[in-house]
Amino acid sequence: LVKPKTKAVTITADGRIYLDTAVVTIEELEARLRQFKAADPELPVVVKGDASIQYFRVIEVLDVMKRLQINQLGLVTQRIVK
């Protein structure tokens, strides 16, 4: 039994979006997550954000999750150390 690989989406205070460790645009995020979801329909994703991020960036990311029907979703709020 293979444990699913959780994908981490991080939104930094300056609005950059990372998928795992790679900086991505919102369009690239959607395309890459679509590929991962095709390989694993139960793809788990954790969205992490600095406490000072702009709310609209979180909504953009959550909209991607909704469009891709990613249901295993966790949200983490923390101040990211720079």
Side-chain angles (χ1 to χ4, degrees):
L1 189 68
V2 177
K3 185 178 177 185
K5 173 83 172 102
T6 300
K7 290 293 164 191
V9 177
T10 304
I11 308 166
T12 62
D14 61 5
R16 284 180 293 168
I17 300 171
Y18 288 80
L19 177 56
D20 295 327
T21 59
V23 177
V24 293
T25 65
I26 197 76
E27 294 81 12
E28 291 168 333
L29 175 68
E30 186 165 356
R32 291 184 188 180
L33 286 176
R34 180 176 283 113
Q35 292 173 337
F36 290 123
K37 175 125 171 103
D40 178 6
E42 298 300 314
L43 178 70
V45 177
V46 175
V47 177
K48 303 175 187 178
D50 185 286
S52 65
I53 60 173
Q54 296 173 337
Y55 194 64
F56 84 92
R57 293 302 274 173
V58 175
I59 297 302
E60 280 185 312
V61 169
L62 293 179
D63 283 347
V64 167
M65 303 302 155
K66 184 176 180 181
R67 280 195 298 276
L68 297 178
Q69 298 180 334
I70 293 175
N71 301 317
Q72 295 207 37
L73 179 65
L75 297 173
V76 179
T77 302
Q78 64 185 19
R79 185 163 297 279
I80 298 170
V81 177
K82 295 180 182 169

